[in-house]
Amino acid sequence: AQSVTQLDSHVSVSEGTPVLLRCNYSSSYSPSLFWYVQHPNKGLQLLLKYTSAATLVKGINGFEAEFKKSETSFHLTKPSAHMSDAAEYFCVVSVYHGGATNKLIFGTGTLLAVQP
Amino acid sequence: DARVTQTPRHKVTEMGQEVTMRCQPILGHNTVFWYRQTMMQGLELLAYFRNRAPLDDSGMPKDRFSAEMPDATLATLKIQPSEPRDSAVYFCASGLQSVMDYSEAFFGQGTRLTVV
């Protein structure tokens, strides 16, 4: 069965330091993977997506993620954290559901805190 | 600026009352998802539709929840009768998917439901 695991429920970094949010996936098929961000009391916004093209994917706000098939990982990184990055981040796998359908399965989320 | 529109944004109701949440997907999108978000369970997929046909509603309590798409511009999620444990934020998302394109979903701002 397809699933996604976010290894840290909370991550705290200082402003200006690198961010690493970890995600591992399990999929019987070639997966499509996404990272979404949710700011407090807001909806979910797509940060980036991987769909079997380049393994290093660049997203909005300076974030990027690297697809590593050998490690079944899709970690999210940013070289330098900004206060506005404080939010909850969700790793998502697209699950083949038969025919021309697929559904998005969300991880449990990682809450990123950025200290001044 | 195309976006998914959900109404109402907030709803407070008494236990036993019927609740209807509405979603207008992005024009041209063929897939609509309903998710529920709570602190305890995170983001749960309740149901999703492809070309207005329900594909998977296994995540939805069948006895009290129902989801429909009366037309391509409207998706509804109904709870009857509502219970306090239904209190959550309900998100609608839409996307454009085909066999070979695992595209992302675009989320609305959510409906925050409180059942007292």
Side-chain angles (χ1 to χ4, degrees):
Chain A
Q2 289 85 347
S3 66
V4 62
T5 302
Q6 291 184 245
L7 298 163
D8 306 294
S9 59
H10 292 81
V11 170
S12 182
V13 301
S14 297
E15 190 174 20
T17 64
V19 176
L20 170 64
L21 305 182
R22 297 183 295 166
C23 172
N24 285 97
Y25 69 91
S26 171
S27 177
S28 303
Y29 305 90
S30 295
S32 288
L33 295 156
F34 310 83
W35 277 97
Y36 280 82
V37 61
Q38 185 179 30
H39 288 91
N41 299 313
K42 298 288 186 184
L44 293 107
Q45 181 184 17
L46 179 71
L47 273 180
L48 51 79
K49 68 177 181 179
Y50 165 78
T51 55
S52 76
T55 55
L56 182 62
V57 182
K58 294 187 183 299
I60 61 172
N61 301 334
F63 284 93
E64 61 182 39
E66 186 171 8
F67 174 73
K68 293 187 176 180
K69 187 175 181 178
S70 61
E71 300 176 9
T72 62
S73 69
F74 190 58
H75 302 334
L76 182 70
T77 60
K78 183 173 180 178
S80 176
H82 191 272
M83 296 296 290
S84 61
D85 294 328
E88 190 157 23
Y89 292 79
F90 293 92
C91 184
V92 182
V93 64
S94 181
V95 175
Y96 180 70
H97 196 239
T101 67
N102 45 73
K103 57 183 180 180
L104 302 180
I105 301 298
F106 279 74
T108 51
T110 297
L111 191 61
L112 175 66
V114 182
Q115 310 298 328
Chain B
D1 185 22
R3 62 182 66 187
V4 176
T5 303
Q6 289 186 248
T7 56
R9 291 292 310 279
H10 302 272
K11 177 72 176 180
V12 180
T13 191
E14 291 185 348
M15 183 173 63
Q17 295 297 305
E18 178 180 297
V19 175
T20 298
M21 290 168 273
R22 293 178 173 80
C23 170
Q24 181 177 355
I26 293 174
L27 189 65
H29 281 186
N30 62 355
T31 307
V32 173
F33 303 85
W34 282 104
Y35 286 87
R36 174 171 63 184
Q37 186 177 36
T38 61
M39 289 291 292
M40 296 300 294
Q41 301 296 328
L43 274 157
E44 304 172 276
L45 178 64
L46 296 176
Y48 81 113
F49 294 77
R50 170 71 62 84
N51 297 325
R52 296 177 54 202
L55 291 182
D56 185 354
D57 60 2
S58 59
M60 204 164 64
K62 300 292 191 301
D63 55 339
R64 299 182 299 108
F65 284 60
S66 62
E68 296 179 345
M69 280 200 74
D71 61 60
T73 64
L74 177 64
T76 62
L77 180 66
K78 188 176 296 185
I79 308 174
Q80 168 62 20
S82 58
E83 297 180 1
R85 59 180 168 151
D86 301 329
S87 298
V89 181
Y90 291 81
F91 287 104
C92 174
S94 73
L96 182 61
Q97 295 186 345
S98 63
V99 175
M100 298 304 295
D101 177 24
Y102 302 103
S103 67
E104 67 273 28
F106 296 83
F107 281 77
Q109 293 294 298
T111 293
R112 183 175 295 276
L113 174 65
T114 303
V115 183
V116 298

